């Protein structure tokens, strides 16, 4: 029995223990991210598939990965010699995971999942479909915790602040603007869970996800109510004091669930497409939920003059790096050994020479593929 099959069989034992007929793994994290820290790479752990998108369903007879057109060839290769089968998405006649469940499992089937990694809109739709088919959706703690030995910890890299000179608007002004828009939506506060929204709203950045300047946290924003939920190890005493001087209360990451359960009479704005189901389930019954588009997403889509100039400056710097690379390549061909690896390192090196370089935005292989298209 190979390692992948052993993991699937271990999950099947969990299904028997919980009287489940299937277990759905959304393969995202509590923040609806596509690119994940190691702790949340359930898809890769269970199946061996390393693409950035895919969903998994485990039954007593099937182990299935759904993925899209970007990854068909990769998935076929990585799932070969395992017990997994691939289902294609975004093609004609595609069968989604929820359709497959309804078509293939018996009435009264119990389908388990983890609420903390399931977007609420997905959960609501799945629950409705299952109820119509006389099936039940069951929320459980993450079953992978029971079988994943030496599961990587959540990252504790430090967050850092961006100056107003870089972002164009202070944190105080952003939070006030967000609060005004929340009030217009008919709510008192909003739970912010998407990592890019958090980074933008608080003028903070991190390195918890490779090639993404984000940090793992939640926030609650509203008039006179600004909370940032993240682990203390991730923030310096100086930055924490600065945030609190600006009336941003910093609390431990998982304390958001307790806080939401203690709220009384609040109208809470949630984006159903991104907020996880555990957040919705944690909210006190005395509160009213207002579903709508996330305010920070709408606001950050409109770039201010400083941000626009930042984009232009970044493109000029990257253009200089690429010109240097083209010059090097033209003069190096036939004179030294050139490999895909050396090309990737050379491009990264020219970019790193540019002022304020912070790191690459994608793995080098993507650059190599782009260059291959240019020179063929």
């Amino acid at each position: 029995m190979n390692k992948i099959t052993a993991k699937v069989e271990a999950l099947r034992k969990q299904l028997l223990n919980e009287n489940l007929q299937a277990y759905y793994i959304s393969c995202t994290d509590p923040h609806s991210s596509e690119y994940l820290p190691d702790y949340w790479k359930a898809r890769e752990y269970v199946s061996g598939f390393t693409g950035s998108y895919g969903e998994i369903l485990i039954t007593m007879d099937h182990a299935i990965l759904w993925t899209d057109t970007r990854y068909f060839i990769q998935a076929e290769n990585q799932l070969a010699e395992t017990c997994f089968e691939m289902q294609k998405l975004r093609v004609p006649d595609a069968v989604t995971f929820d359709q497959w469940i309804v078509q293939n499992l018996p009435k009264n089937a119990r389908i388990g999942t983890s609420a903390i990694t399931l977007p609420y809109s997905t959960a609501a739709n799945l629950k409705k479909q299952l109820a119509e088919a006389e099936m039940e959706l069951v929320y459980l703690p993450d079953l992978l915790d029971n079988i994943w030995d030496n599961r990587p910890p959540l990252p504790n890299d430090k967050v850092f602040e961006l100056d107003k000179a870089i972002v164009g608007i202070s944190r105080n002004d952003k939070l006030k603007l967000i609060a005004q828009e929340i009030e217009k939506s008919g709510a008192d506060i909003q739970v912010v869970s998407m990592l890019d929204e958090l980074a933008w709203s608080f003028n903070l950045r991190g390195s918890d996800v490779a090639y993404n300047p984000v940090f793992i946290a939640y926030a609650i924003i509203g008039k006179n109510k600004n909370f940032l939920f993240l682990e203390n190890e991730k923030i310096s005493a100086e930055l924490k004091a600065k945030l609190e001087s600006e009336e941003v209360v910093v609390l431990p990451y998982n304390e958001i669930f307790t806080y939401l359960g203690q709220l009384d009479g609040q109208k809470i704005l949630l984006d159903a497409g991104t907020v996880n189901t555990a957040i919705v389930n944690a909210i006190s019954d005395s509160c009213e939920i207002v579903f709508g588009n996330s305010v920070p997403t709408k606001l950050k889509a409109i770039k201010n003059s400083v941000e626009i100039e930042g984009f232009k400056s970044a493109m000029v710097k990257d253009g200089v790096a690429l010109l240097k690379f083209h010059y090097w390549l033209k003069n190096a061909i036939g004179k030294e050994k050139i490999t895909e690896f050396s090309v990737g390192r050379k491009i990264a090196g020219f970019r790193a020479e540019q002022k304020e370089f912070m790191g690459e935005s994608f793995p080098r292989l993507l650059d190599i593929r782009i260059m291959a298209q240019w020179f063929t």
Side-chain angles (χ1 to χ4, degrees), residues 145-188:
D145 277 341
N146 300 325
I147 69 168
W148 194 338
D149 295 330
N150 302 314
R151 186 170 188 170
L154 286 173
N156 270 330
D157 295 340
K158 294 289 187 182
V159 302
F160 59 94
E161 185 176 25
L162 292 184
D163 191 84
K164 180 182 175 181
I166 295 175
V167 297
I169 181 172
S170 71
R171 178 168 42 246
N172 266 332
D173 288 341
K174 276 187 180 178
L175 294 176
K176 288 177 183 177
L177 183 59
I178 293 170
Q180 290 170 5
E181 293 299 315
I182 291 171
E183 189 173 11
K184 289 179 184 177
S185 74
D188 301 307

Side-chain angles (χ1 to χ4, degrees), residues 322 351 364-376:
L322 288 175
R351 285 175 172 152
R364 280 192 198 118
L365 182 58
L366 182 61
D367 278 329
I368 293 167
R369 287 172 177 164
I370 292 171
M371 294 303 166
Q373 293 173 359
W374 287 357
F375 287 95
T376 57

Side-chain angles (χ1 to χ4, degrees), residues 70-351:
R70 294 173 293 173
Y71 295 115
F72 290 166
I73 295 174
Q74 179 180 338
E76 286 176 356
N77 291 334
Q78 292 184 324
L79 298 181
E81 310 298 329
T82 77
C83 58
F84 269 88
E85 56 190 277
M86 178 180 64
Q87 287 278 349
K88 296 180 178 181
L89 292 173
R90 300 176 188 172
V91 295
D93 301 320
V95 177
T96 60
F97 84 91
D98 46 348
Q99 293 171 332
W100 191 96
I101 290 172
V102 171
Q103 293 170 10
N104 291 275
L105 295 184
K107 288 184 178 180
N108 301 315
R110 301 174 78 245
I111 290 81
T113 193
S114 173
I116 200 167
T117 56
L118 189 66
Y120 182 73
S121 61
T122 303
N125 181 62
L126 180 58
K127 190 172 184 179
K128 180 176 181 291
Q129 285 184 279
L130 294 181
E132 291 173 352
E134 299 181 45
M135 299 178 185
E136 181 184 0
L137 181 63
V138 182
Y139 297 127
L140 299 164
D142 187 354
L143 292 186
L144 290 178
D145 277 341
N146 300 325
I147 69 168
W148 194 338
D149 295 330
N150 302 314
R151 186 170 188 170
L154 286 173
N156 270 330
D157 295 340
K158 294 289 187 182
V159 302
F160 59 94
E161 185 176 25
L162 292 184
D163 191 84
K164 180 182 175 181
I166 295 175
V167 297
I169 181 172
S170 71
R171 178 168 42 246
N172 266 332
D173 288 341
K174 276 187 180 178
L175 294 176
K176 288 177 183 177
L177 183 59
I178 293 170
Q180 290 170 5
E181 293 299 315
I182 291 171
E183 189 173 11
K184 289 179 184 177
S185 74
D188 301 307
I189 58 177
Q190 180 189 333
V191 175
V192 181
S193 60
M194 291 286 284
L195 302 187
D196 61 316
E197 296 179 13
L198 288 161
W200 181 86
S201 299
F202 289 87
N203 286 350
L204 300 175
R205 298 292 187 271
S207 55
D208 287 347
V209 181
Y211 308 105
N212 292 264
V214 296
F215 57 96
I216 296 172
Y218 295 102
I220 294 175
I221 300 175
K223 188 176 181 180
N224 303 319
K225 288 182 181 291
N226 295 311
F227 295 84
L228 187 60
F229 297 85
L230 80 169
E231 296 303 336
N232 283 330
E233 295 85 352
K234 299 182 67 59
I235 187 168
S236 68
E238 294 78 12
L239 181 53
K240 183 177 181 180
K242 184 175 182 180
L243 287 167
E244 293 182 340
S245 72
E246 298 174 5
E247 300 184 344
V248 176
V249 179
V250 180
L251 296 172
Y253 176 62
N254 283 316
E255 203 164 300
I256 187 170
F257 299 101
T258 302
Y259 182 84
L260 290 172
Q262 295 172 346
L263 287 176
D264 184 28
Q266 296 285 295
K267 291 184 178 180
I268 305 173
L269 175 63
L270 300 177
D271 189 325
T274 59
V275 70
N276 71 63
T277 305
I279 289 287
V280 180
N281 292 345
I283 293 173
S284 166
D285 290 339
S286 70
C287 295
E288 177 184 345
I289 296 175
V290 179
F291 288 112
N293 292 327
S294 173
V295 170
T297 288
K298 292 187 291 185
L299 294 179
K300 76 185 186 71
I302 304 171
K303 305 304 179 186
N304 61 51
S305 59
V306 173
E307 290 173 316
I308 291 170
E309 288 305 312
F311 281 123
K312 291 179 179 179
S313 176
M315 296 307 297
V316 168
K317 291 174 182 177
D318 200 54
V320 171
L322 288 175
L323 282 172
K324 287 186 174 182
F325 166 75
H326 293 160
Y327 181 81
W328 168 82
L329 184 62
K330 180 179 179 180
N331 289 278
I333 290 175
K335 298 178 182 177
E336 60 182 273
K337 183 179 179 181
I338 298 175
T339 66
E340 290 182 345
F341 179 74
S342 67
V343 165
R345 292 194 63 177
K346 184 63 70 171
I347 297 169
F350 286 131
R351 285 175 172 152

